[in-house]
Amino acid sequence: MRNFVVVGNRAATTPDFSLEDIPGTSGRIDILCRCINSAFVLSHGIRRDVHVYLILRGGGSPKTIQLRGRDLRHLNPDERTTAALLKKALALEVDSNWTKSTPGIFVRIGDLANLEIFGDGATYYLREDGSDYRGLSSGADGTFVLGDHIGLSEEDEAFMTDLNAAIVSVGPRSLHADHCIVLINNELDRREAANRDESEIDGNGTKE
Ligand SMILES: C[S@@+](CC[C@H](N)C(=O)[O-])C[C@H]1O[C@@H](n2cnc3c(N)ncnc32)[C@H](O)[C@@H]1O
């Protein structure tokens, strides 16, 4: 399973933002929508082996929205439709338990530190000055944590350190979070394909 966690430092926790001006009224939920697109959308389908967790901290108690690729429906490539799905989730009365919004989308009160996924496989914190992710021989599916336009706070960084997260970079330039997700997905796809090719080659060096 690939988990992508994106921290929305100012992302709205209520549905009262405008679909006509998502960047200007939602605390940059547009960034989170693009991350969802990059995490799930294939040319002709949805990646079923991906989960996305959005941490929204733009008012009141922080909320987390979870999107599960296996069950996800109604996801189109455009930001507006995705923002409408998030808006629907944010309109629900929730507590600290996951509440289903639409197929594959769940919401609850909770912050980064409340996620149960850490410790289940490796955790990678994506940061511009990290070690090259491509160079990591152990790189495989795991949990990838990214910031929005603001990045991660000092407290978040301390939390990543406590988790023993590997700090990794996807290249020498500072990129948008959604573009980083595309690169990670691509790298993992390539590794999976290479492993498949290897396992299909028999002892005589020929493909079975
Ligand atoms: C637009 S960047 C954040 C820029 C923000 N001003 C900062 O200093 O953190 C959004 C997120 O993308 C990720 N990111 C951007 N470029 C990266 C790179 N080359 N390698 C790894 N992660 C990167 C980081 O997680 C970052 O928090």
Side-chain angles (χ1 to χ4, degrees):
M1 186 60 68
R2 297 177 196 177
N3 297 314
F4 293 102
V5 179
V6 190
V7 176
N9 291 285
R10 296 185 183 147
T13 52
T14 57
D16 48 359
F17 59 88
S18 166
L19 293 178
E20 307 309 320
D21 179 13
I22 306 167
T25 60
S26 69
R28 301 307 308 270
I29 279 188
D30 58 306
I31 295 176
L32 306 183
C33 292
R34 288 194 288 278
C35 286
I36 292 170
N37 179 304
S38 297
F40 289 112
V41 179
L42 292 166
S43 178
H44 293 290
I46 295 285
R47 291 179 185 272
R48 298 293 171 197
D49 60 343
V50 169
H51 285 179
V52 167
Y53 297 84
L54 307 174
I55 310 295
L56 303 102
R57 293 176 171 163
S61 302
K63 283 186 182 169
T64 303
I65 294 181
Q66 179 192 177
L67 298 98
R68 300 181 192 162
R70 199 184 46 236
D71 309 313
L72 209 48
R73 300 282 177 277
H74 318 304
L75 184 69
N76 292 324
D78 68 292
E79 264 168 47
R80 192 189 159 91
T81 313
T82 309
L85 288 172
L86 300 184
K87 208 172 165 50
K88 209 167 189 169
L90 291 174
L92 297 173
E93 275 291 320
V94 289
D95 56 19
S96 58
N97 298 305
W98 292 117
T99 298
K100 184 175 170 183
S101 175
T102 47
I105 302 187
F106 302 80
V107 58
R108 74 176 184 191
I109 300 281
D111 207 333
L112 186 64
N114 303 113
L115 288 180
E116 299 87 358
I117 47 174
F118 298 118
D120 191 13
T123 300
Y124 302 93
Y125 165 30
L126 275 90
R127 202 172 71 187
E128 288 84 336
D129 61 351
S131 330
D132 187 350
Y133 181 68
R134 251 185 206 175
L136 287 188
S137 55
S138 62
D141 283 9
T143 298
F144 300 86
V145 181
L146 303 100
D148 60 1
H149 59 302
I150 296 169
L152 256 59
S153 66
E154 275 180 25
E155 293 77 33
D156 292 331
E157 293 225 335
F159 180 63
M160 288 295 110
T161 305
D162 289 347
L163 286 177
N164 233 347
I167 303 179
V168 294
S169 156
V170 290
R173 313 287 294 259
S174 184
L175 305 174
H176 289 284
D178 57 318
H179 296 168
C180 296
I181 292 175
V182 170
L183 291 172
I184 292 288
N185 264 336
N186 180 256
E187 189 62 29
L188 292 174
D189 288 348
R190 285 167 170 271
R191 288 178 195 189
E192 273 179 16
N195 288 341
R196 246 193 330 268
D197 282 353
E198 249 171 47
S199 65
E200 280 171 6
I201 293 173
D202 65 18
N204 303 319
T206 51
K207 269 199 165 192
E208 288 176 338

